[in-house]
Amino acid sequence: MDFLKKLTPGAAILATCFVSGSAGAALYGFGPAESWTIAQITKLSTAISSQIGTFGTTFGANMAVKFEQAISAVAVATKQESLGASIVSDASRDSAAQLVNAVRAQRSSDQIASAMLDFNPATGQGHEPCLTTAKNRTLDAAFDALGRVAKANVAALDLAPGRMVSSVGAAMTQRLATHRDKFCTQGEASAGLCSLSSLPGGDTNASLLFEPTDPGSLQQQAQQAFTQHVLGAPDAMIAKEAGQTPAGQHYMLTKNSKDALLSIPAYSMSMIQAANTRSPDLANKSPNEVLKLRVNQYFGGKEAQDWSKTLTAQSERGLMVEAAKLGGLEVWLHHKQYQQNQRLEMNLAALVLAQSEEAKRNVSTRYDRMARDTASSAIR
């Protein structure tokens, strides 16, 4: 009967009845015990069915409640997950917006800093932009005026193109008098010809042409006198009647040819003189002195040191601006050198023409001589 102890109460009763019924049936056969047993079985079956139904209903109700609780929990968890994702998304969006604003602010700051560096006179315009521009314009204006000054100097010569003197001897005597009065040398003074000058031999000193001089000074008079000595004596004036003769016309033709040739070296020496003549418009400096100051700003001298210091603080744009200014100055110098080379070529061409005229005269003289000799031989 140990297995009956392990069964539930209802199962134990049912098992007892089955055992008892079997025993009763065995003992009594089909009698009152069988009816009682069937009644008990029916009763117990009804009770068990009722208990099973009650258990099923209770379990189903409990399962429905638990299912609703589970669904509610899942819904809450899902909503919390969705809310968490929304919070993360909003945080990411806000973080991205802050990053964009930070980048925009940084770019704006960089642009402001770049503009300050690029357009600030101290960092983005090269060395002293306004003053350098004014100096370059002054230099260009000074050399542009040289042609006008040189023409005036040529016109002041006593042998200017187209000019003739009434007496060549008188003109040369005047030159000699000027020499002894203003440019008397030590030898002449020792010989008692004149008093020693403060600029002895200045009218024969070519180096004075390349020295800065003040307008109207003794040095400038020496430059003018040197040019006259190099070009030679002036031409004598002839009467109108003589100019109408063949000899007079030949003389005037020769005069014009000579003036055309001599005007070239006269203009060249006058250009040198004008380039070294000081002017009040240039702060009492000559055009060559102004050019030297501009060159010294970049090569040697205190100006070059200041220029180098300025470049160390320049931005990339400032260095490019300074390079452009240097390039412009270089182009300007090349242009002036081109003009100077043109004057050199003109002088060489004049020299060639003068020598060819001499050779032409020699050929003509020899031809005339040969023609005379041939005629004399034919007569004989």
Side-chain angles (χ1 to χ4, degrees), residues 150-215:
K151 291 178 182 178
N153 292 339
V154 172
L157 299 174
D158 60 5
L159 43 60
R163 179 175 298 175
M164 293 183 290
V165 296
S166 57
S167 174
V168 177
M172 299 306 293
T173 300
Q174 180 60 42
R175 286 190 186 182
L176 181 60
T178 302
H179 167 75
R180 290 180 177 178
D181 180 46
K182 298 179 179 180
F183 310 110
C184 182
T185 63
Q186 181 63 51
E188 292 171 329
S190 300
L193 298 176
C194 54
S195 300
L196 182 63
S197 172
S198 59
L199 191 62
D203 55 348
T204 58
N205 189 353
S207 64
L208 292 179
L209 280 175
F210 303 92
E211 293 182 3
T213 58
D214 295 322

Side-chain angles (χ1 to χ4, degrees), residues 20-49:
S20 299
S22 299
L27 294 176
Y28 304 103
F30 296 97
E34 182 178 359
S35 298
W36 179 85
T37 301
I38 292 171
Q40 290 297 320
I41 290 172
T42 301
K43 181 180 178 180
L44 291 175
S45 297
T46 302
I48 290 172
S49 297

Side-chain angles (χ1 to χ4, degrees), residues 140 144 329-342:
D140 185 53
D144 281 345
L329 184 59
E330 183 181 5
V331 171
W332 183 87
L333 285 172
H334 286 325
H335 176 63
K336 295 306 174 183
Q337 288 176 346
Y338 171 73
Q339 293 177 338
Q340 185 183 51
N341 291 335
Q342 282 185 320

Side-chain angles (χ1 to χ4, degrees), residues 51-117:
Q51 290 179 359
I52 290 175
T54 301
F55 172 77
T57 301
T58 302
F59 181 77
N62 291 335
M63 286 296 296
V65 172
K66 295 299 181 180
F67 183 71
E68 292 294 336
Q69 290 178 349
I71 291 176
S72 178
V74 171
V76 171
T78 302
K79 186 174 183 180
Q80 289 179 346
E81 183 70 21
S82 176
L83 180 61
S86 177
I87 293 175
V88 171
S89 177
D90 292 342
S92 298
R93 185 176 63 254
D94 293 341
S95 176
Q98 292 178 359
L99 178 60
V100 169
N101 291 333
V103 171
R104 184 182 296 111
Q106 182 64 40
R107 289 182 178 178
S108 176
S109 177
D110 293 342
Q111 291 175 355
I112 294 174
S114 178
M116 287 292 295
L117 292 174

Side-chain angles (χ1 to χ4, degrees), residues 160-324:
R163 179 175 298 175
M164 293 183 290
V165 296
S166 57
S167 174
V168 177
M172 299 306 293
T173 300
Q174 180 60 42
R175 286 190 186 182
L176 181 60
T178 302
H179 167 75
R180 290 180 177 178
D181 180 46
K182 298 179 179 180
F183 310 110
C184 182
T185 63
Q186 181 63 51
E188 292 171 329
S190 300
L193 298 176
C194 54
S195 300
L196 182 63
S197 172
S198 59
L199 191 62
D203 55 348
T204 58
N205 189 353
S207 64
L208 292 179
L209 280 175
F210 303 92
E211 293 182 3
T213 58
D214 295 322
S217 64
L218 185 62
Q219 287 83 356
Q220 190 176 62
Q221 296 178 31
Q223 293 173 347
Q224 198 82 352
F226 173 79
T227 301
Q228 292 188 147
H229 290 333
V230 170
L231 297 178
D235 297 311
M237 186 182 301
I238 61 175
K240 180 178 180 181
E241 295 76 9
Q244 294 177 352
T245 63
Q249 292 179 0
H250 182 268
Y251 175 80
M252 294 305 299
L253 181 61
T254 304
K255 163 67 176 172
N256 291 336
S257 178
K258 174 186 174 184
D259 288 346
L261 292 177
L262 291 182
S263 63
I264 297 174
Y267 180 75
S268 294
M269 287 188 286
S270 295
M271 283 290 289
I272 297 173
Q273 177 184 346
N276 290 286
T277 301
R278 294 191 175 101
S279 172
D281 296 335
L282 302 177
N284 292 325
K285 291 182 175 60
S286 67
N288 278 343
E289 286 179 314
V290 175
L291 176 59
K292 183 178 180 181
L293 290 176
R294 296 298 298 118
V295 173
N296 284 345
Q297 177 174 319
Y298 306 105
F299 304 101
K302 183 179 180 300
E303 297 88 350
Q305 295 179 359
D306 296 338
W307 175 68
S308 299
K309 291 178 182 178
T310 302
L311 293 186
T312 58
Q314 292 293 311
S315 64
E316 182 178 357
R317 183 184 184 278
L319 295 176
M320 293 178 65
V321 170
E322 190 64 22

